Amino acid sequence: MEDLVIRDAEVVDGSGADSYRADVVVDDGRIVSIVKEAAAAGCQRPDAMRELDAEGLVLSPGFIDMHAHSDLALLRDPDHSAKAAQGVTLEVIGQDGLSYAPVDDRTLAEVRRAITGWNGYGDDIDFTWRTVGEYLDRLDHGFGGEGIAVNAAYLIPQGTVRMLAMGWEDREPTPAELDRMRQLVAEGMEQGAVGMSSGLTYTPGMYAKDAELTELCRVVGERGGYYCPHHRSYGAGALEAYEEMVALTREAGCPLHLAHATMNFGPNKGRAPELLALLDDALATGADITLDTYPYTPGCTTLVALLPSWASEGGPEETLRRLADEETAERIRHHLEALGSDGCHGVPVEWETIEISGVTDPSLAGYVGRTVRESADLRGETPWTVARRLLRTDRLGPTILQHVGHEENVRAIMRHRVHTGGSDGILQGGKPHPRAYGTFPRYLGTYVRELGVLSLEECVAHLTGRPAARLRLPDRGLVREGYRADLVLFDPAAVAAGSTFAEPRTLPVGIPHVLVDGRFVMEDGRRTDVLAGRAVRRAPRPR
């Protein structure tokens, strides 16, 4: 007898096709039978050891978060309800060109400092790994060998690779250094990574020129992976930056997935159709492109990321040294406020849009939840004085929300046929962006039920089948016989994000059941103690 039968579910199967009513039978972690319209047909209904009445609920594949920052959270928090409660059954980590493998001892220490704002410093983590394969093995055997809350796939971080091969210098690599980077990327792919990410407004990855990136993308494409860049500008040069990535990956023969593909900042208001036309033209001529977005207007990053790239050359300690020097700090301010630094996407910073969302030093907690300008006005100081103090005192740790988005762009991009969902959720900080806890129910509740921007079937396909196809996963992302039983049951009339900018860690409503590998990680709206998640590896492509 099978493990579980889910009775009378409204199945939205992840393909975009019309929903249908069915009994779905799960056994040994897979969907073994789908009996459509079982009750109405009066046929022999499937039996199982356990029966779940899904009347009034939609059954869909588990949601795939195509842009997650849970690299340490998956090893720190066995509960991980931030994602499990949303119906996320697979996260793609290693994003924006900075993560924790491959590394050596020096690089690990540097990258931990560089992305403290994203993941915490990691004092509570035993960093036993150095290679991509060892990190994936660690995910497989998290929490005493039981596993992790949800599945995870990994992108090789190009900035970390560059850091490992040649440090933090703003220069072109030597032939030997480029060969070393190619080797590191090839090893990571062969050990199970699904592709490579870049953070081209983050140091040191942003120092790479197109020729260097093209060579690394060749390695990724040859091994069946994809390139996921946070490209060089989301502001003044956004369209040119998108064009650059399309051209680069086509030359390299590598599929392209555009990370958090927004059109933000004042210069891009109402310009989403131009981006979509650019993508349509490339797709029409054979380009392999997908993208992800989150259903919110503000962005989220670290405060230090706004600085001009020259201010971060040499690594975190050099950045702090420059901030301590009065003359150099004034140059940084001028680039930020007058010229528009490359770290701020070529747009002069508007301090009234920069809200501090997290700090690591408890003495700075009073700045959290206020914009830099608000804190400056309260203290009778200039915004730069406040920002500089935060960077120095918190040793580059502050995270920020950047209120620079446009709702019409958000809606236009999410309608596109190559769109997928990604939270870009940073889980650290006193008041993190609510997208970390709310992205997927917000798509379903706000943009499907309330606004009708997408149909339910379309939206589920954007969150399941389409990302699984990008990841080239042969048995995930659809409700099909033989597929993995990574499944979500939600109430389409009630599903909604609970998280808000005021209360960002509130869990969603209307998602009572979530299964990973056929096991309930959420049951009746509560997190179980099941740790069914594992590393999802790309099988090496024969060459």
Side-chain angles (χ1 to χ4, degrees):
M1 185 173 287
E2 283 78 19
D3 294 338
L4 171 69
V5 58
I6 302 170
R7 295 224 188 271
D8 295 322
E10 189 67 23
V11 177
V12 178
D13 70 3
S15 70
D18 291 344
S19 66
Y20 58 86
R21 193 175 176 89
D23 291 352
V24 176
V25 182
V26 173
D27 187 48
D28 196 25
R30 293 189 180 270
I31 300 167
V32 296
S33 178
I34 301 172
V35 183
K36 295 184 179 181
E37 298 290 350
C43 63
Q44 178 66 40
R45 304 190 70 174
D47 291 324
M49 289 189 294
R50 178 175 178 186
E51 180 176 316
L52 175 64
D53 181 1
E55 182 70 37
L57 299 179
V58 166
L59 173 67
S60 82
F63 305 136
I64 297 176
D65 188 342
M66 287 295 286
H67 193 105
H69 287 284
S70 302
D71 306 47
L72 297 186
L74 284 163
L75 295 172
R76 172 183 294 128
D77 178 16
D79 183 80
H80 201 47
S81 287
K83 295 302 177 67
Q86 292 186 63
V88 171
T89 58
L90 171 60
E91 298 184 87
V92 185
I93 55 177
Q95 299 284 353
D96 294 328
L98 291 166
S99 190
Y100 305 94
V103 292
D104 56 15
D105 291 351
R106 171 190 61 82
T107 305
L108 176 61
E110 291 173 347
V111 79
R112 287 175 66 184
R113 284 287 308 281
I115 53 175
T116 294
W118 293 357
N119 299 307
Y121 185 65
D123 286 334
D124 51 348
I125 301 293
D126 185 7
F127 289 89
T128 56
W129 67 87
R130 292 297 180 268
T131 68
V132 169
E134 289 168 350
Y135 175 66
L136 298 180
D137 288 343
R138 178 66 179 279
L139 294 175
D140 279 341
H141 300 99
F143 304 105
E146 289 189 66
I148 50 180
V150 301
N151 297 310
Y154 190 71
L155 295 166
I156 303 162
Q158 171 259 328
T160 302
V161 166
R162 197 176 209 269
M163 198 186 307
L164 179 56
M166 55 184 294
W168 291 76
E169 297 180 48
D170 183 2
R171 61 174 175 81
E172 295 185 30
T174 66
E177 289 167 339
L178 183 57
D179 282 344
R180 175 64 172 145
M181 285 189 276
R182 287 194 197 98
Q183 177 188 6
L184 290 167
V185 172
E187 289 173 353
M189 291 296 300
E190 289 160 5
Q191 291 165 8
V194 296
M196 181 180 76
S197 74
S198 282
L200 299 180
T201 65
Y202 300 129
T203 54
M206 69 190 303
Y207 299 140
K209 291 184 166 54
D210 284 3
E212 176 183 330
L213 296 172
T214 300
E215 287 303 306
L216 300 184
C217 284
R218 288 190 206 282
V219 176
V220 173
E222 288 168 357
R223 288 161 177 79
Y226 68 92
Y227 180 44
C228 179
H230 165 127
H231 51 270
R232 297 192 194 274
S233 175
Y234 289 82
L239 286 175
E240 294 80 5
Y242 284 115
E243 289 173 350
E244 176 191 10
M245 295 298 102
V246 171
L248 184 157
T249 49
R250 296 200 74 174
E251 181 179 347
C254 182
L256 172 64
H257 181 85
L258 295 165
H260 39 57
T262 58
M263 290 290 285
N264 286 344
F265 300 92
N268 292 318
K269 184 175 175 61
R271 297 188 71 189
E274 296 176 58
L275 166 62
L276 301 179
L278 166 67
L279 299 181
D280 285 338
D281 288 346
L283 290 163
T285 56
D288 184 353
I289 303 173
T290 50
L291 58 86
D292 66 68
T293 68
Y294 45 83
Y296 297 85
T297 51
C300 178
T301 187
T302 56
L303 184 59
V304 68
L306 304 184
L307 304 188
S309 57
W310 59 261
S312 295
E313 185 177 2
E317 290 302 324
E318 285 300 299
T319 305
L320 289 166
R321 183 187 62 77
R322 293 183 181 106
L323 286 165
D325 179 76
E326 294 297 332
E327 183 177 343
T328 308
E330 174 57 22
R331 284 182 61 211
I332 294 171
R333 183 205 64 77
H334 181 69
H335 274 256
L336 274 169
E337 297 184 348
L339 302 180
S341 74
D342 47 4
C344 198
H345 306 276
V347 178
V349 69
E350 297 172 326
W351 292 114
E352 63 272 18
T353 70
I354 307 300
E355 177 185 350
I356 302 301
S357 60
V359 292
T360 60
D361 185 336
S363 71
L364 302 173
Y367 292 92
V368 174
R370 292 192 174 101
T371 69
V372 172
R373 184 168 296 281
E374 286 172 339
S375 290
D377 290 345
L378 282 171
R379 291 164 173 78
E381 298 174 331
T382 68
W384 172 239
T385 300
V386 169
R388 182 185 175 199
R389 178 188 302 124
L390 286 167
L391 287 166
R392 294 185 64 195
T393 305
D394 208 36
R395 297 187 64 78
L396 313 183
T399 52
I400 62 170
L401 303 185
Q402 202 164 8
H403 296 271
V404 293
H406 309 286
E407 179 65 21
E408 68 272 32
N409 286 347
V410 170
R411 296 188 193 188
I413 293 169
M414 74 168 63
R415 291 188 186 102
H416 198 272
R417 66 187 186 280
V418 301
H419 170 266
T420 68
S423 70
D424 195 12
I426 293 174
L427 300 168
Q428 293 291 118
K431 293 186 78 173
H433 197 304
R435 68 193 185 193
Y437 285 73
T439 286
F440 296 87
R442 181 168 167 84
Y443 268 118
L444 296 167
T446 300
Y447 288 94
V448 172
R449 185 180 64 245
E450 296 176 9
L451 299 175
V453 175
L454 295 168
S455 72
L456 180 59
E457 289 86 353
E458 287 175 315
C459 186
V460 169
H462 287 217
L463 307 181
T464 62
R466 188 173 298 161
R470 164 50 75 216
L471 294 167
R472 293 181 177 164
L473 302 177
D475 59 356
R476 299 177 195 266
L478 298 172
V479 179
R480 292 280 193 277
E481 291 180 357
Y483 274 55
R484 294 271 185 182
D486 293 346
L487 300 168
V488 180
L489 289 121
F490 62 89
D491 182 348
V495 62
S499 59
T500 64
F501 287 98
E503 299 291 340
R505 288 191 168 90
T506 306
L507 296 179
V509 296
I511 306 178
H513 306 292
V514 181
L515 292 85
V516 173
D517 204 34
R519 301 168 66 193
F520 284 90
V521 298
M522 297 290 298
E523 187 172 7
D524 295 323
R526 296 181 179 87
R527 178 71 172 94
T528 71
D529 61 1
V530 167
L531 293 167
R534 299 292 185 270
V536 175
R537 295 167 170 83
R538 182 191 300 281
R541 174 185 284 182
R543 287 182 291 142

